[in-house]
Amino acid sequence: MNWKSILATAFITGIVTIATGMLLFWWQTEKPELTYNSIRSIPFDDASNKLFIQQVEIKNSGDKPAEDVVLVISLTDEIIEKSRVTIDSAISHQKAVDKNSIQLKIDSLNPQEGASVTLLYQSTKTKSSGAAVSLRAKGITGRLIGSNIKGKTESIWIALIAAYGGIAAFILSTKKGRVMLPFVAKSLLTGQPIESQKNIIASTLSMYGYPEKAKEYLNSEANRQYWVEADLLSSEAINGDEKLKKDTIQILLKICKIKNMSESSRAIAYYNISRIYKSLGDDNDKIDEYLNLAKAIDKKKIEDRLSHDPVFI
């Protein structure tokens, strides 16, 4: 690895690390969080009516003050007999009660501060569904204790971001990783798997009538690279008969259409198509066409090959 690669790797790794850190910081930034709990007693008989007691406790479970807190406890057919608010006397608040509901307004709740409201209400029915609870503050909505699905989800996402941030930094630290990352990202977004180079080449060989060659590819333990395979296939074709040459041209053309192929490999594949046409010796237009396609992608590499390629010399 030369110094340019080292600097590029350090820069990319640093960017990914900083970006991941900033995202996690933003996600974990201190914020208010309102929670409540509601407890209802069994009914007490009172002549023809039933008496119920319900207690609602609220709390700022977050890390920042919750402003303009509003708690509304409402009944339907039941009637409130008595109510009581328990809260620190230093906390500014207002209470409004009518026969079916109670509203508690609190100017501000510091972290871990809270309040409770106890209701004694009457119902003509044997059963009562109890009072409905609504809790809100500036920019937030209160949630019932025990329904912390959001919190669990956030923890999972935080862990995933940290993990994938590290993976991304590692992938981007290599040249091959930087080439493959866009294809990996596209595969994750579209749900379409990235096919292995070995399978694609074997499938193409089978398509054009070379099943034995395809089996060799599939059974090989070697790590297949498109540009190396293009060189090998064209070398065999140049030394083979006309049918093999024309079939190999079609195989390489098929390979050139693969979406997750690096541009450098695509240039080598086009170059090898030109080589095979050169060995056929009867179509200068095709030779130039594919040679120009290769040069348009990676001119320096192609010109370097032309300077010592026996097919063109």
Side-chain angles (χ1 to χ4, degrees):
M1 182 182 288
N2 58 34
W3 66 270
K4 289 184 179 180
S5 297
I6 294 172
L7 287 177
T9 298
F11 176 76
I12 293 170
T13 304
I15 291 295
V16 172
T17 303
I18 292 171
T20 303
M22 290 177 67
L23 183 58
L24 290 174
F25 175 78
W26 171 79
W27 205 310
Q28 296 176 307
T29 298
E30 293 183 348
K31 54 188 176 182
E33 182 181 8
L34 285 177
T35 57
Y36 69 89
N37 194 16
S38 181
I39 303 170
R40 188 164 60 92
S41 73
I42 60 174
F44 298 91
D45 289 328
D46 181 26
S48 61
N49 296 322
K50 298 289 184 180
L51 290 176
F52 296 84
I53 297 174
Q54 185 165 343
Q55 185 174 30
V56 178
E57 299 174 339
I58 67 172
K59 182 179 181 181
N60 179 3
S61 305
D63 305 304
K64 290 183 68 178
E67 307 293 341
D68 302 326
V69 179
V70 178
L71 169 66
V72 178
I73 305 172
S74 55
L75 298 159
T76 51
D77 300 325
E78 300 86 351
I79 298 173
I80 296 174
E81 294 287 333
K82 292 182 181 181
S83 65
R84 179 181 178 182
V85 174
T86 304
I87 189 171
D88 192 313
S89 58
I91 299 175
S92 177
H93 65 281
Q94 301 86 40
K95 180 179 80 167
V97 184
D98 60 31
K99 67 176 184 178
N100 294 114
S101 67
I102 178 169
Q103 183 181 83
L104 177 64
K105 292 184 177 180
I106 304 172
D107 293 346
S108 178
L109 274 181
N110 288 326
Q112 306 310 309
E113 286 184 338
S116 68
V117 178
T118 304
L119 298 179
L120 176 67
Y121 62 89
Q122 190 179 88
S123 174
T124 57
K125 299 178 180 180
T126 304
K127 293 183 178 181
S128 171
S129 58
V133 179
S134 177
L135 178 62
R136 301 178 66 86
K138 188 175 182 179
I140 56 174
T141 302
R143 61 173 179 81
L144 181 65
I145 291 175
S147 61
N148 193 18
I149 297 174
K150 180 181 177 183
K152 292 178 181 178
T153 303
E154 285 185 354
S155 298
I156 292 171
W157 275 108
I158 288 169
L160 286 175
I161 288 170
Y164 281 109
I167 292 171
F170 174 76
I171 291 172
L172 290 171
S173 67
T174 65
K175 183 177 180 180
K176 184 177 180 181
R178 290 191 290 275
V179 171
M180 287 300 299
L181 187 61
F183 303 115
V184 173
K186 183 178 179 181
S187 175
L188 291 173
L189 290 172
T190 61
Q192 296 177 348
I194 298 175
E195 295 185 77
S196 71
Q197 296 185 11
K198 183 189 294 187
N199 289 347
I200 292 173
I201 294 172
S203 175
T204 307
L205 284 167
S206 298
M207 186 185 303
Y208 285 94
Y210 298 92
E212 294 303 319
K213 185 68 175 177
K215 289 178 184 178
E216 288 181 25
Y217 272 72
L218 290 175
N219 295 329
S220 173
E221 297 296 328
N223 184 23
R224 300 292 185 177
Q225 301 294 328
Y226 287 129
W227 67 273
V228 175
E229 299 307 334
D231 284 340
L232 292 174
L233 288 170
S234 67
S235 179
E236 290 181 9
I238 289 168
N239 293 316
D241 58 23
E242 184 175 338
K243 181 181 182 304
L244 178 60
K245 291 178 182 180
K246 291 183 177 180
D247 286 345
T248 304
I249 287 173
Q250 296 305 313
I251 291 168
L252 290 176
L253 284 172
K254 178 74 174 177
I255 291 173
C256 285
K257 294 179 181 179
I258 296 169
K259 293 181 179 180
N260 66 339
M261 185 180 190
S262 72
E263 289 304 299
S264 179
S265 293
R266 203 183 312 277
I268 298 300
Y270 280 135
Y271 173 74
N272 278 292
I273 293 172
S274 178
R275 294 180 76 227
I276 299 172
Y277 272 118
K278 180 72 173 177
S279 70
L280 284 168
D282 60 353
D283 199 334
N284 290 328
D285 289 340
K286 290 293 185 181
I287 296 170
D288 293 339
E289 177 186 348
Y290 290 103
L291 197 57
N292 289 332
L293 282 173
K295 287 182 178 179
I297 297 172
D298 196 335
K299 185 176 180 179
K300 183 178 179 181
K301 181 173 289 186
I302 299 306
E303 288 184 343
D304 180 62
R305 284 198 166 213
L306 283 169
S307 67
H308 58 266
D309 187 340
V311 173
F312 285 99
I313 295 176

